[in-house]
Amino acid sequence: MKSLWRNSHDWRRLGWAVQRGKTIVQAPASLGSARGSSRPLRDEGSCVRKSQSRVVPRELYVSDARPGVPQVDRWRVCCTFHRRGYGSAPGDTQVYRDKRYAELKDADIMHFRQILGEKGVVTDRDDLDWANTDWMHKYRGHSQLLLRPQTTQQVSEILQYCHAGRLAVVPQGGNTGLVGGSVPVFDEVILNLGAMNKILSFDEASGILVCEAGCILETLDNYLKSRGHTMPLDLGAKGSCQIGGNVSTNAGGLRLLRYGSLHGNVLGLEVVLADGTVLDLLGTLRKDNTGYDLKQIFIGAEGTLGVVTKVSVLTPPKLASVNVGFLACEDYASCQKTFAEAKKQLGEILSAFEFLDRHSLEVVLKHLDGARDPLPDSKESFYLLVETTGSNQTHDKEKLDAFLESALEKELIKDGAVAQDISQAGSFWKIREGIAESTAKAGAVYKYDLALPLKDLYSLVEDMRERLRDSATVIGFGHMGDGNLHLSIVAPSYDDKFVSQIEPYVYERTAAVNGSVSAEHGLGFMKAKAIYYSKPPAAVQVMAGFKDLLDPNGILNPYKVLPIGREKLIQVVDAFENAVPLLLLWPTASVKTTKTFGTPNFEVTSFDQIRHRCRLSWT
């Protein structure tokens, strides 16, 4: 019987039990949970036969029993299906192509050509290579087809066809994501929105911009600058990323401290659902309290609930007075105190407060062309980039000078420089924005985008440095203004064995201080299973309910955001080595279609029948 490999992270939170006679095999929800578990499940090794794509764990058990919880018997599970792994913890990212999805046929391609024409359908391998590969060259899919619609109607017709034929689809923007969310896992059809790049309207009085999802962020910002406004978000990838992708990932960036997140700045969306239904939520009102604010569920959904085709966004005025300072601090505690002082003294004009450690600065100076050290005589451990934005240059400069004098007198900073012109300000920002590019040139980079309490922001970097020692370079930088740490670990090469030293430790440490495993990059494929470190099972079940409602066939960006495997068939071997086939379901799920259960003569048509035949009970 074919069965799916399930590692401990898959089922440790599901909470199920099977009773067969007097033998109980149980994996309670509390065991190995993300938050505070002292006895996680562990894998004692496995035998891998690559030629057969089989993984047979030698033993998978709970290290020691808790009072009142029966000891878990030995398990044997084997894999005979195609699987993919993307360099996260061993087993944690191994997934299987869902057999529900159809394989692409020539007839499908012909149908898409009728909708889009020849230019809108890409099948050439060389042309597909960039769309199949993520920005970091870490994630790579095997899609055979890329579609480039130019209108919402075309997107609707494409999704209607894919929904009916169960063709999986990956919505894609500029493909600048860092968690594998915008590239196929297997052979999903790529739906690239880059050709939908029109600016539809702009109201200079209100600052409300309406545009299509394929507009590049920098293009929008340049358009607004000539009209006295600016985009409320700014990213290092602004020259490539698209506004639809920004909205779908709820991108944060460098201006969040001043302008807030996209949940507040996006006024309306046009979204195409999985079945082709066009959901017109493209409002331009600051206030609209009629019913549920549906657009919010699509912001940050990473294309799993619908495809964003148009965006209405509130843009702030572009203010003339901008000042940038680059400061050096002795330790992280001084960085925190400097930030607190900046909020008090700079108040309404504080627009950015970024931090980077010495390792970050050194990798930029070594690998980024044209980068220069703003403080060549300073060898401090931490650096801060402080930006103010206002309408009165004299007033703003006086406030910044007073803040810097106060920080020096209190010995919060050891050295500093203030940009004297736009060019020098740009060179300061080049250091901060160039860290990602520089680390990519330095080696294989493992990136972690975490939200943490300010007091704990850098302790994780220090812990990882101690944990990995000389095997990697550990770099810490990020948005101190909103508690966002970018942890980058540079190693000689990508290696699953090495990653096992990082994950799940990084996520466990984040959960221990009530942090988030994804601050602004999203979950994508890389962190889908890590969602439980930041969200309780009840919340994930509600999310799954939204997914089932809006995408019942699960065709939109599969294997992303939510934990993989809503239905899994496994073999449980009890103490007597007798196999008990079991169809694992979520507690709220039911089997609506007939499914073979164990043998050809045993079929399951309802959840009640599963309970009757196997005496299945949810703990």
Side-chain angles (χ1 to χ4, degrees):
M1 183 187 68
K2 290 184 176 181
S3 60
L4 291 180
W5 158 249
R6 296 188 62 81
N7 59 72
S8 60
H9 296 284
D10 276 332
W11 52 265
R12 60 172 54 172
R13 274 188 174 267
L14 288 178
W16 56 269
V18 178
Q19 182 173 336
R20 187 174 184 270
K22 294 183 179 180
T23 303
I24 296 178
V25 180
Q26 186 172 13
S30 60
L31 269 179
S33 64
R35 294 178 183 269
S37 173
S38 60
R39 296 179 175 89
L41 296 166
R42 66 184 185 186
D43 187 349
E44 291 296 319
S46 60
C47 173
V48 180
R49 306 187 190 107
K50 293 183 180 178
S51 60
Q52 299 178 21
S53 296
R54 293 176 64 87
V55 178
V56 184
R58 297 192 185 98
E59 267 187 347
L60 188 60
Y61 64 95
V62 179
S63 56
D64 51 347
R66 295 184 180 183
V69 177
Q71 183 76 17
V72 175
D73 291 22
R74 291 187 178 185
W75 293 60
R76 288 185 181 177
V77 286
C78 62
C79 163
T80 56
F81 292 106
H82 181 50
R83 69 175 182 273
R84 294 294 305 275
Y86 278 138
S88 191
D92 227 20
T93 55
Q94 291 193 352
V95 300
Y96 308 82
R97 188 186 186 280
D98 196 322
K99 296 301 182 182
R100 293 179 300 168
Y101 303 132
E103 294 184 358
L104 188 69
K105 296 180 175 61
D106 290 341
D108 300 323
I109 298 175
M110 291 177 61
H111 182 83
F112 292 133
R113 285 196 172 111
Q114 292 176 1
I115 298 173
L116 301 175
E118 288 291 334
K119 292 184 179 180
V121 178
V122 178
T123 57
D124 182 77
R125 285 189 178 183
D126 292 336
D127 293 337
L128 283 168
D129 185 62
W130 69 270
N132 269 310
T133 309
D134 82 308
W135 177 75
M136 292 176 59
H137 298 278
K138 180 180 178 183
Y139 304 101
R140 183 180 180 83
H142 296 283
S143 178
Q144 304 170 53
L145 180 66
L146 182 144
L147 304 177
R148 292 177 58 84
Q150 296 182 343
T151 67
T152 299
Q153 180 59 32
Q154 289 178 342
V155 174
S156 175
E157 291 178 22
I158 290 168
L159 291 184
Q160 184 178 18
Y161 181 84
C162 291
H163 175 76
R166 291 183 182 270
L167 284 170
V169 178
V170 175
Q172 187 179 81
N175 198 17
T176 58
L178 299 173
V179 290
S182 60
V183 293
V185 177
F186 296 105
D187 55 353
E188 301 89 89
V189 174
I190 301 171
L191 184 65
N192 189 284
L193 279 293
M196 296 180 64
N197 55 10
K198 299 183 184 66
I199 295 174
L200 303 177
S201 66
F202 177 66
D203 185 337
E204 294 192 19
S206 64
I208 297 172
L209 172 77
V210 181
C211 64
E212 292 183 323
C215 292
I216 293 174
L217 180 60
E218 189 172 44
T219 301
L220 293 177
D221 203 37
N222 290 336
Y223 172 87
L224 290 170
K225 283 179 180 177
S226 64
R227 291 158 177 79
H229 284 73
T230 187
M231 287 298 288
L233 75 161
D234 186 15
L235 308 171
K238 59 188 174 186
S240 303
C241 65
Q242 297 172 12
I243 188 63
N246 299 150
V247 170
S248 295
T249 57
N250 189 27
L254 305 168
R255 295 177 178 170
L256 190 140
L257 175 64
R258 179 64 177 268
Y259 300 120
S261 76
L262 288 175
H263 278 292
N265 290 304
V266 171
L267 301 179
L269 296 174
E270 180 185 78
V271 182
V272 182
L273 302 182
D275 64 357
T277 300
V278 178
L279 198 59
D280 186 358
L281 307 170
L282 199 64
T284 57
L285 301 175
R286 296 288 299 275
K287 289 184 175 181
D288 182 3
N289 227 10
T290 51
Y292 304 121
D293 191 1
L294 294 181
K295 71 176 182 291
Q296 298 296 346
I297 68 171
F298 298 101
I299 300 173
E302 302 184 51
T304 61
L305 301 180
V307 178
V308 174
T309 50
K310 292 174 185 172
V311 180
S312 168
V313 61
L314 179 66
T315 67
K318 181 170 178 58
L319 302 177
S321 170
V322 179
N323 295 287
V324 182
F326 197 86
L327 316 176
C329 292
E330 183 179 16
D331 51 35
Y332 179 69
S334 299
C335 294
Q336 294 182 74
K337 294 175 183 177
T338 304
F339 177 49
E341 198 70 19
K343 289 189 291 182
K344 291 178 183 177
Q345 297 198 33
L346 298 178
E348 78 287 353
I349 65 171
L350 182 62
S351 55
F353 199 97
E354 303 289 302
F355 91 98
L356 58 148
D357 60 15
R358 182 70 196 180
H359 296 79
S360 302
L361 179 59
E362 288 176 349
V363 77
V364 170
L365 296 176
K366 182 177 181 180
H367 295 284
L368 190 65
D369 294 338
R372 294 190 300 174
D373 191 344
L375 302 172
D377 297 329
S378 174
K379 304 298 179 185
E380 301 299 332
S381 299
F382 293 89
Y383 296 89
L384 302 173
L385 190 150
V386 182
E387 181 189 78
T388 65
T389 305
S391 57
N392 187 312
Q393 178 64 21
T394 302
H395 169 266
D396 296 349
K397 188 66 166 58
E398 288 177 355
K399 291 190 75 171
L400 180 61
D401 288 344
F403 158 70
L404 294 176
E405 288 178 10
S406 173
L408 282 169
E409 288 178 4
K410 296 179 180 179
E411 298 186 346
L412 300 180
I413 61 176
K414 296 296 182 181
D415 199 359
V418 177
Q420 300 303 305
D421 51 39
I422 295 177
S423 176
Q424 196 170 27
S427 70
F428 289 179
W429 272 113
K430 185 175 183 177
I431 295 289
R432 168 60 185 86
E433 293 181 318
I435 298 175
E437 179 184 345
S438 302
T439 53
K441 293 178 180 179
V445 189
Y446 298 91
K447 294 177 178 287
Y448 296 90
D449 159 52
L450 310 166
L452 299 160
L454 273 182
K455 63 183 179 63
D456 302 304
L457 198 66
Y458 198 74
S459 60
L460 178 57
V461 180
E462 295 171 329
D463 288 350
M464 289 307 305
R465 203 166 279 154
E466 176 66 24
R467 186 179 179 88
L468 300 176
R469 297 186 181 275
D470 297 331
S471 61
T473 301
V474 180
I475 291 170
F477 64 100
H479 316 296
M480 196 165 201
D482 51 54
N484 184 181
L485 170 68
H486 292 304
L487 172 67
S488 292
I489 299 170
V490 185
S493 61
Y494 291 115
D495 178 71
D496 279 349
K497 185 177 180 181
F498 175 75
V499 177
S500 66
Q501 300 178 60
I502 307 172
E503 300 177 25
Y505 179 78
V506 164
Y507 302 139
E508 290 170 349
R509 284 280 283 101
T510 301
V513 293
N514 295 319
S516 170
V517 298
S518 178
E520 62 181 1
H521 292 168
L523 293 170
F525 176 67
M526 173 185 171
K527 298 181 180 180
K529 291 184 181 179
I531 190 172
Y532 287 118
Y533 290 99
S534 298
K535 294 291 186 289
V540 178
Q541 287 187 24
V542 172
M543 295 178 197
F546 278 114
K547 176 69 172 175
D548 286 342
L549 176 66
L550 299 175
D551 183 15
N553 289 343
I555 65 165
L556 289 178
N557 220 4
Y559 320 105
K560 317 284 177 61
V561 181
L562 293 177
I564 298 162
R566 303 286 302 286
E567 297 181 355
K568 295 296 186 182
L569 187 63
I570 69 169
Q571 271 189 329
V572 179
V573 180
D574 63 18
F576 300 100
E577 305 293 330
N578 294 321
V580 180
L582 170 67
L583 181 62
L584 278 185
L585 298 171
W586 286 55
T588 56
S590 62
V591 183
K592 297 180 181 179
T593 58
T594 300
K595 298 180 183 295
T596 299
F597 190 80
T599 67
N601 297 324
F602 185 16
E603 293 185 339
V604 175
T605 56
S606 70
F607 183 72
D608 287 337
Q609 189 171 347
I610 298 174
R611 291 176 60 91
H612 175 73
R613 294 299 182 108
C614 283
R615 294 185 291 281
L616 177 69
S617 63
W618 295 98
T619 57

